[in-house]
Amino acid sequence: MSTIHWTESRPRSARWHSESGLPLPRTVVVADDRMRAAVAYRLACEGTALLWRGDFHNARQLLSALDRRVGRTAPGAADTTAETFRLQRRFRAHRARVLGKLLVLLDADHGLDLRRAPDVRPAVAEAYGAFDGPVAVALSELLGVISARQWREKGVYVPALEAPVHPHYGVFAPTRSEYVDLVAQAPLPRGGDVRVAFDLGTGTGVLAAVLARRGVGQVVATDVSARARACARDNVGRLGLTEVVRVTGPELYPEGRADLVVCNPPWIPGRPASDLDLGVYDAGSGMLQGFLSGLAERLEPGGEGWLVLSDLAERLGLRSREQLMTAVESAGLRVVDRLDTRPRHARARDTDDPLHAVRAAEVTSLWRLAVG
């Protein structure tokens, strides 16, 4: 168990928790409303964590001030798109480390004992589970936990379902509806007579729900994450699809064969820095390769595998189209068809983003794959 130590009239300690993989703070000092942003920024850059004991709203203001100071060091465009992406990712990691030095203490009942602090107990309990004592977390992470609960309560409306999906903390939310629309519109194999479908890496369960609503007889949804499996079961229940969709894991493929196998792996090949990165980064393209290499032996005759994948990695220079096609052919597969769509998310319109041109040109595709 990782533990932080500090002195506050006497030596004290608390368990350290970081969902984003921030390192254990070695030096911790107490900070309150008298702390100036310039001093806080210097200490944070030096690696000193600040355990906040002042007003909650003042802590949020200090976090915003630190963010503005970090932003002044943001890199611009480099000589190549790949280098720009690497610099941007390195900067985001640096920003997370600096902002992550402002800490708050949660008690054993998930409460936050600060002036004007909201009741964070329901959100913290849902995200972290039971505590056996006080826990120190970064304020930036706690704000994410609070925001996640609001998303979970309100849900994300999915046009293809004509209903909201409720993402849990730590589960990738279906805010980009274009990839969901592809699965909702692609022609089903076997003339539409799909008795069994697999949804690999189901996350919130949104694609499994779309397949069930399209009339698939039985959908088996898998995920490596226990959080995602709980989230998918919750959404399947909310949508009244428990008789059609079964959620399992942590193996990528379930037992048996299917008429249709759908996989929407993380689109960027790269090492995730934390569990929260697993929805974006696919280390060594492991999930993509696992889907392709296992597909032929899991498909029923006349069945298809649907690979839902953005070409962002190709545009960033992290994977070539030739490498993708070689992986498909090496797995004994062929491309039946490809359906394309363009991004509609806000980042594609952000002209201040050094990667704006790449994001604006991005194409998301549903590759229809068959054996041979």
Side-chain angles (χ1 to χ4, degrees), residues 100-121:
K101 291 296 188 292
L102 184 58
L103 313 182
V104 293
L105 191 65
L106 300 168
D107 60 36
D109 294 325
H110 305 102
L112 182 62
D113 186 18
L114 296 176
R115 293 191 309 276
R116 294 199 292 169
D119 182 7
V120 302
R121 289 173 297 177

Side-chain angles (χ1 to χ4, degrees), residues 44-348:
C45 289
E46 291 172 352
T48 298
L50 310 170
L51 181 62
W52 188 257
R53 291 308 215 182
D55 178 87
F56 176 77
H57 292 281
N58 287 346
R60 294 193 62 166
Q61 290 177 356
L62 178 59
L63 189 68
S64 295
L66 293 176
D67 197 12
R68 288 193 295 272
R69 282 170 166 78
V70 175
R72 295 169 188 165
T73 64
D79 292 338
T80 66
T81 303
E83 182 61 21
T84 299
F85 175 75
R86 282 191 286 268
L87 290 176
Q88 290 290 317
R89 191 178 186 200
R90 187 183 308 161
F91 169 74
R92 288 193 296 271
H94 167 69
R95 175 179 176 271
R97 285 193 298 270
V98 173
L99 299 186
K101 291 296 188 292
L102 184 58
L103 313 182
V104 293
L105 191 65
L106 300 168
D107 60 36
D109 294 325
H110 305 102
L112 182 62
D113 186 18
L114 296 176
R115 293 191 309 276
R116 294 199 292 169
D119 182 7
V120 302
R121 289 173 297 177
V124 172
E126 285 180 354
Y128 296 157
F131 286 173
D132 56 5
V135 173
V137 300
L139 175 60
S140 55
E141 180 171 308
L142 177 62
L143 295 178
V145 167
I146 295 171
S147 177
R149 186 165 197 268
Q150 294 169 348
W151 275 48
R152 178 169 175 170
E153 289 182 330
K154 181 181 179 181
V156 177
Y157 185 77
V158 179
L161 290 173
E162 297 183 339
V165 163
H166 298 260
H168 292 195
Y169 178 73
V171 181
F172 198 72
T175 53
R176 293 187 54 168
S177 61
E178 63 264 22
Y179 78 91
V180 181
D181 292 341
L182 285 174
V183 174
Q185 297 163 5
L188 292 170
R190 298 170 57 95
D193 180 24
V194 178
R195 292 163 293 182
V196 178
F198 296 161
D199 174 26
L200 311 184
T202 193
T204 60
V206 61
L207 297 185
V210 168
L211 294 173
R213 286 281 178 86
R214 294 194 64 184
V216 173
Q218 184 72 43
V219 183
V220 184
T222 72
D223 207 288
V224 67
S225 165
R227 273 181 174 158
R229 295 194 297 272
C231 178
R233 291 186 183 108
D234 177 32
N235 283 307
V236 166
R238 288 174 184 263
L239 294 167
L241 298 172
T242 53
E243 297 298 317
V244 180
V245 180
R246 178 170 63 90
V247 181
T248 186
E251 294 79 13
L252 179 63
Y253 274 97
E255 293 296 324
R257 292 174 176 266
D259 304 303
L260 174 63
V261 180
V262 177
C263 185
N264 175 34
W267 293 345
I268 304 296
R271 183 176 62 85
S274 67
D275 288 347
L276 298 181
D277 272 353
L278 291 174
V280 179
Y281 296 97
D282 186 11
S285 296
M287 185 175 177
L288 172 61
Q289 295 289 348
F291 161 67
L292 293 175
S293 62
L295 183 59
E297 65 181 22
R298 296 306 185 108
L299 281 179
E300 294 283 9
E304 289 182 6
W306 288 358
L307 173 62
V308 185
L309 195 65
S310 159
D311 68 353
L312 184 61
E314 298 174 22
R315 296 181 183 277
L316 291 172
L318 304 176
R319 179 175 54 226
S320 68
R321 179 60 58 89
E322 181 181 4
Q323 288 173 318
L324 177 61
M325 291 298 95
T326 298
V328 169
E329 293 170 6
S330 298
L333 305 169
R334 60 183 174 85
V335 177
V336 175
D337 193 12
R338 190 185 81 211
L339 286 72
D340 296 335
T341 187
R342 302 301 294 271
R344 299 190 293 269
H345 56 89
R347 295 189 71 179

